[in-house]
Amino acid sequence: MTSSSGELRPGRFAGRVALVTGAAGGQGEAEVRAFAAEGASVMVADVLADQAGEVAADLRRHGHEAVAVLLDVADEGQWTDAVDECSARFGRLDVLVNNAGIGDAKGVVDQGERGWDRVMAVNVWGPLVGMRTAAPLMARSGGGAIINVSSMAGMTGYDHAAYTASKWALRGLTRSASRELADAGIRVNSVHPGVIITPMTAHFGLDVIHHYSRMNANRRPGTPDEIVGMVLHLASREASFTTGAEVAVDGGFLAAGANRALELAVSRGEGDP
């Protein structure tokens, strides 16, 4: 696992503790493994308890300190249990990565209330409860860093109504939290991945992923490891003056925007340069 500079830095998080949600697979697993590789003790939090346990056990086999914890991020009681477990095991908490997220692939017209409520519960309420539950322990630890994993959908329009609304909401929530928690020495930033190959996106199919990737400036999808470097940077002391920031890690999707769309349309004979 590498840092944002592309080089492994085993001692960067030595003596520190990181809790990552949605860490049983995909992007969250890549993040928790990276923190462990760079010296952190880690809490592997996920609603998929067995898979989280397997990740933690594998990390321990490789000499890292890792604890798995059941966590449905929409459940306040489970958040309390997770943070209490972190305090009991490690006595501190330095980094929280609110990585867990879901979508229901519904547009405005076909969006149902039940689906809307669940997406908002996981993608917005969950990070809010996580931040307020973790903040006291982080403050007692001397401060720390919270990274909320949003999406490029939180910076532009996107087909899925609840998912897009939730990621815009998480962006705003991050800014509010960055102000409220600053006096406790806690920095709060958001990361906005573009098209990343994960179990969550794989069900859309390679054709859909390829379609969106062609809109990127670099014309390819990303991998979870390519998000990890930015997450670790924002969690590190190197980012000590960075809070309330919104960082796109999207292969140039937002930058290419309409220009790339026009290029594709012209190449198909659908428009004029």
Side-chain angles (χ1 to χ4, degrees):
M1 202 63 62
T2 59
S3 71
S4 57
S5 65
E7 298 178 357
L8 184 65
R9 301 174 60 181
R12 180 159 55 157
F13 292 95
R16 301 175 72 190
V17 178
L19 190 160
V20 181
T21 69
Q27 190 169 295
E29 181 182 354
E31 290 159 0
V32 82
R33 288 185 179 277
F35 278 111
E38 296 207 2
S41 300
V42 295
M43 299 290 293
V44 185
D46 206 293
V47 69
L48 302 174
D50 290 344
Q51 291 175 228
E54 291 170 5
V55 172
D58 185 60
L59 287 170
R60 290 194 296 272
R61 282 193 294 270
H62 288 83
H64 304 297
E65 289 192 83
V67 175
V69 60
L70 172 67
L71 180 59
D72 177 346
V73 297
D75 187 316
E76 294 183 71
Q78 289 187 20
W79 265 114
T80 298
D81 291 344
V83 173
D84 286 350
E85 177 76 2
C86 184
S87 180
R89 292 294 188 102
F90 302 117
R92 62 184 299 118
L93 178 60
D94 303 278
V95 178
L96 170 63
V97 182
N98 282 311
N99 171 81
I102 62 171
D104 69 353
K106 303 292 186 180
V108 171
V109 173
D110 59 354
Q111 181 67 62
E113 183 177 3
R114 180 174 298 179
W116 174 274
D117 287 347
R118 182 57 182 167
V119 171
M120 290 297 174
V122 172
N123 294 2
V124 185
W125 178 247
L128 185 151
V129 176
M131 288 190 286
R132 76 181 187 196
T133 306
L137 179 57
M138 295 183 81
R140 294 196 298 273
S141 304
I146 297 173
I147 297 91
N148 292 323
V149 180
S150 180
S151 167
M152 67 180 183
M155 289 185 160
T156 186
Y158 187 57
D159 297 340
H160 303 161
Y163 182 79
T164 301
S166 72
K167 293 304 184 178
W168 275 86
L170 184 56
R171 179 182 175 187
L173 181 62
T174 298
R175 289 203 165 189
S176 294
S178 71
R179 295 176 59 84
E180 185 172 345
L181 299 179
D183 287 345
I186 300 171
R187 298 180 295 102
V188 190
N189 296 288
S190 61
V191 171
H192 298 256
V195 180
I196 308 298
I197 301 297
T198 70
M200 181 177 175
T201 61
H203 73 277
F204 292 124
L206 291 178
D207 288 345
V208 174
I209 292 172
H210 177 66
H211 171 73
Y212 277 102
S213 299
R214 290 173 67 201
M215 297 290 287
N216 293 348
N218 64 11
R219 297 166 170 78
R220 67 169 178 84
T223 66
D225 286 351
E226 291 181 296
I227 307 302
V228 165
M230 184 56 66
V231 171
L232 266 66
H233 169 70
L234 291 172
S236 76
R237 295 185 175 94
E238 298 160 10
S240 59
F241 198 55
T242 304
T243 192
E246 302 160 345
V247 184
V249 189
D250 65 350
F253 183 94
L254 294 169
N259 287 332
R260 183 68 182 128
L262 181 58
E263 289 176 14
L264 293 171
V266 170
S267 71
R268 295 193 299 263
E270 298 174 359
D272 296 321

